[in-house]
Amino acid sequence: MAKLLSCVLGPRLYKIYRERDSERAPSSVPGTPTSVTNPPSSSWDTYYQPRALEKHADSILALASVFWSISYYSSPFAFFYLYRKGYLSLSKVVPFSHYAGTLLLLLAGVACLRGIGRWTNPQYRQFITILEATHRNRSAENKRQLANYNFDFRSWPVDFHWEEPSSRKESRGGPSRWGVALLRPEPLHRGTADTFLNRVKKLPCQITSYLVAHTLGRRMLYPGSVYLLQKALMPVLLQGQARLVEECNGRRAKLQACDGNEIDTMFVDRRGRAEPQGQKLVICCEGNAGFYEVGCVSTPLEAGYSVLGWNHPGFAGSTGVPFPQNEANAMDVVVQFAIHRLGFQPQDIIIYAWSIGGFTATWAAMSYPDISAVILDASFDDLVPLALKVMPDSWRGLVTRTVRQHLNLNNAEQLCRYQGPVLLIRRTKDEIITTTVPEDIMSNRGNDLLLKLLQHRYPRVMAEEGLQVVRQWLEASSQLEEASIYSRWEVEEDWCLSVLHSYQAEHGPEFPWSVGEDMSPEGRRQLALFLAQKHLHNFEATHCTPLPTQNFQMPWHL
């Protein structure tokens, strides 16, 4: 009876992975059916095949889940319609509650029938036995056996906790249960007295901003967190996970962040191979509708690096909602996991981000200054200009206030706090992070990210002459035009390198540098162009085109 109850309440099983020969071993979990201890390879190379009763019951419950999600998103309109029609009176609500109660009982009965179907399936009984054993005893052998299954990630045991590193327990400057430290935006109206009356006046605007951010805003910014989209992408995500586990020997893990969110991660270890890049770990930060199963992890994987992918809060197996604070909390536990559990030194970690993933990447670079390098692909400097682009002009004040208070993705500000090597990849046909049209390459916010970084690090070089010539170089829409501008100003790379080396030897590596202070305008132009070319590479593609392996290069550094 206990096993039947476990089957009723157990998670949905999606796939039983193909076992690798090196991992074949008899099951050590007590109570495992001997008839399925070592299933043949062919049966492990397919999706889990439920019996008819479980299959049909699962379909009914999945359909009910979709209808519930649609009802949830349309509930404000439904309530308004019912109110206008007079259906919210007590005489109408009571019968409706009876219908709802009956429907819930029917769904509970369907769930029990699904449990009976699972109980009659020896593969599911073996899986639930291993899962229960792993929750009781998280030994390496139990975890190895559990890793052969892909199931509802909510039931996966936590592998790493944010407080696990001993340094965190002793440090007072680490994250609290409220979250890690973020850079806070400056007040919109500096110098105004923050009196009680002013707070009361601002209250309606603050409430409106909160409601917009937590309803429409968050879902527009992170569409990957919408349940219906995840449901539609589920087959693709399962295929992507199977590829990472079976072909790349990926290891899935659940991390618990300081805010209680559980983060879904996948690690591919290449340290045992001959290629030297396998000793480096690339932590990948996905876009606003990206998942590690089918996201940017493929580029560093094909290049031979060790890779750690993770999903945003609220994406696939990760819990929570993707607000900036939750995003930073998730990134913090991912980096801690890489250092304290996977055994990588910060100097061997590279942060690679695509699109909106630039926020968590720049936060990690700011918070972990010893990280080896940062690569930002198709990213931007600040969210406000991009938000204003897609919203009505009459909403400008509301949009700006909402972004600054609740969705403040200040990538450039965070990146300027990092002292290490940086590479920006600008897509010349980007249709997402341009504020006008894709053909207007100067409206690409990657340009602003480069200019803010160079102006912070080399303020004397990026004076009027340097800024002007870099803007001309950024206007180039092809490699031929870039080379033409570069040769027009007769950039001598050896001279630029000697100037930078001399300054570094005399003043040290800490930014900002005052190099260029006593330099001629021609020298500043040469140095500005040289630095711009080293920090930004063009990729002739649209926003969502996968980055080829040959374009994944380590940032330049002296």
Side-chain angles (χ1 to χ4, degrees):
M1 182 58 78
K3 187 62 66 179
L4 176 59
L5 183 61
S6 297
C7 291
V8 172
L9 301 178
R12 184 176 181 183
L13 178 59
Y14 298 114
K15 183 176 173 64
I16 304 175
Y17 291 127
R18 178 178 64 247
E19 274 198 309
R20 294 175 288 275
D21 291 337
S22 61
E23 292 186 353
R24 291 188 185 277
S27 172
S28 63
V29 179
T32 301
T34 55
S35 60
V36 292
T37 298
N38 286 311
S41 177
S42 60
S43 68
W44 283 63
D45 197 18
T46 61
Y47 286 100
Y48 163 69
Q49 299 296 328
R51 300 284 173 90
L53 186 59
E54 179 187 357
K55 181 179 180 181
H56 294 311
D58 249 336
S59 299
I60 295 172
L61 293 174
L63 187 62
S65 176
V66 170
F67 277 127
W68 169 255
S69 182
I70 295 173
S71 302
Y72 173 78
Y73 289 120
S74 61
S75 58
F77 305 101
F79 274 115
F80 180 74
Y81 175 79
L82 293 173
Y83 175 77
R84 291 291 300 271
K85 293 294 184 179
Y87 293 142
L88 294 182
S89 61
L90 188 62
S91 60
K92 300 288 181 64
V93 170
V94 172
F96 176 77
S97 64
H98 292 163
Y99 298 142
T102 303
L103 181 60
L104 289 175
L105 287 176
L106 289 174
L107 291 176
V110 172
C112 291
L113 290 175
R114 181 181 64 177
I116 294 173
R118 291 171 172 176
W119 185 63
T120 61
N121 191 326
Q123 283 188 328
Y124 193 90
R125 289 206 312 274
Q126 180 192 28
F127 156 70
I128 203 68
T129 301
I130 293 173
L131 178 62
E132 290 175 340
T134 307
H135 277 287
R136 289 193 303 267
N137 177 16
R138 299 180 186 180
S139 65
E141 176 60 21
N142 286 348
K143 286 186 176 181
R144 185 194 67 77
Q145 294 189 52
L146 188 65
N148 288 324
Y149 297 90
N150 188 354
F151 55 96
D152 191 338
F153 201 61
R154 287 174 293 185
S155 298
W156 189 285
V158 173
D159 297 290
F160 184 84
H161 193 274
W162 70 281
E163 286 185 319
E164 187 171 318
S166 58
S167 59
R168 284 296 178 90
K169 299 175 182 177
E170 300 168 0
S171 173
R172 295 183 179 180
S176 66
R177 294 190 181 275
W178 294 101
V180 298
L182 292 179
L183 297 178
R184 298 300 175 185
E186 294 183 358
L188 293 177
H189 304 288
R190 288 184 292 180
T192 305
D194 192 19
T195 63
F196 176 75
L197 183 59
N198 283 331
R199 291 184 181 181
V200 172
K201 290 180 180 178
K202 294 177 183 177
L203 191 59
C205 295
Q206 292 175 346
I207 293 174
T208 304
S209 294
Y210 179 88
L211 292 175
V212 169
H214 286 75
T215 54
L216 179 66
R218 189 259 295 177
R219 291 171 176 84
M220 286 184 64
L221 188 59
Y222 289 96
S225 65
V226 176
Y227 171 77
L228 292 176
L229 178 61
Q230 294 184 32
K231 195 74 176 175
L233 291 175
M234 181 61 73
V236 179
L237 299 182
L238 293 177
Q239 289 177 4
Q241 280 185 4
R243 181 183 68 85
L244 291 171
V245 172
E246 295 179 343
E247 298 178 16
C248 304
N249 297 331
R251 301 205 305 265
R252 201 177 185 188
K254 177 187 283 189
L255 320 182
Q256 187 170 38
C258 58
D259 52 13
N261 288 336
E262 296 172 343
I263 307 303
D264 183 5
T265 67
M266 181 70 74
F267 171 56
V268 178
D269 195 354
R270 298 282 178 79
R271 284 175 289 189
R273 300 194 176 188
E275 295 87 352
Q277 59 266 37
Q279 304 302 315
K280 297 283 187 179
L281 175 69
V282 178
I283 299 179
C284 298
C285 304
E286 299 291 345
N288 65 352
F291 303 81
Y292 72 69
E293 293 89 341
V294 291
C296 63
V297 298
S298 59
T299 298
L301 270 179
E302 293 174 5
Y305 291 89
S306 296
V307 173
L308 176 59
W310 61 282
N311 281 329
H312 297 283
F315 282 52
S318 296
T319 62
V321 288
F323 282 104
Q325 184 66 67
N326 297 348
E327 288 276 294
N329 295 340
M331 188 66 190
D332 178 67
V333 75
V334 168
V335 176
Q336 289 291 318
F337 175 69
I339 296 172
H340 296 283
R341 178 61 62 84
L342 301 182
F344 287 91
Q345 295 299 316
Q347 296 83 0
D348 295 325
I349 295 176
I350 300 152
I351 307 294
Y352 168 48
W354 173 62
S355 190
I356 210 170
F359 173 74
T360 47
T362 54
W363 180 88
M366 173 185 71
S367 304
Y368 294 88
D370 293 333
I371 280 174
S372 174
V374 174
I375 303 173
L376 302 179
D377 178 17
S379 197
F380 53 89
D381 63 321
D382 187 30
L383 182 62
V384 170
L386 298 173
L388 292 173
K389 162 193 169 183
V390 298
M391 301 302 289
D393 193 57
S394 58
W395 291 25
R396 175 177 292 270
L398 175 62
V399 170
T400 303
R401 186 183 305 108
T402 301
V403 170
R404 286 285 177 251
Q405 292 180 357
H406 303 284
L407 303 166
N408 191 35
L409 305 186
N410 50 345
N411 297 354
E413 187 180 5
Q414 293 184 152
L415 186 62
C416 289
R417 304 289 183 100
Y418 176 59
Q419 298 285 325
V422 175
L423 174 63
L424 308 179
I425 300 173
R426 182 182 67 166
R427 292 165 181 250
T428 58
K429 299 178 181 178
D430 201 309
E431 73 281 13
I432 302 298
I433 64 167
T434 49
T435 54
T436 55
V437 293
E439 292 75 21
D440 182 11
I441 197 169
M442 282 306 292
S443 71
N444 188 309
R445 298 304 299 189
N447 301 334
D448 301 85
L449 184 57
L450 173 70
L451 293 174
K452 290 177 181 178
L453 178 65
L454 294 182
Q455 285 175 317
H456 170 76
R457 292 189 169 189
Y458 311 98
R460 308 299 182 188
V461 174
M462 293 299 293
E464 184 177 352
E465 302 89 357
L467 183 61
Q468 184 179 7
V469 75
V470 170
R471 286 188 182 277
Q472 292 177 7
W473 180 76
L474 289 171
E475 287 180 6
S477 57
S478 66
Q479 291 184 350
L480 186 62
E481 289 183 30
E482 285 182 38
S484 174
I485 295 172
Y486 206 69
S487 61
R488 184 195 311 166
W489 295 104
E490 300 178 347
V491 178
E492 299 179 17
E493 294 195 355
D494 291 339
W495 174 80
C496 294
L497 282 171
S498 66
V499 169
L500 295 173
H501 278 299
S502 299
Y503 182 91
Q504 186 184 52
E506 185 176 352
H507 299 91
E510 195 80 12
F511 294 112
W513 286 10
S514 60
V515 62
E517 191 171 16
D518 301 323
M519 197 175 288
S520 67
E522 290 75 14
R524 282 197 289 269
R525 290 190 187 98
Q526 285 194 45
L527 201 52
L529 275 176
F530 174 80
L531 291 169
Q533 189 188 52
K534 294 298 184 183
H535 285 82
L536 185 141
H537 293 175
N538 280 326
F539 174 41
E540 190 174 349
T542 57
H543 189 76
C544 296
T545 304
L547 186 71
T549 306
Q550 62 267 24
N551 290 80
F552 186 79
Q553 303 171 5
M554 288 300 103
W556 168 83
H557 64 92
L558 283 175

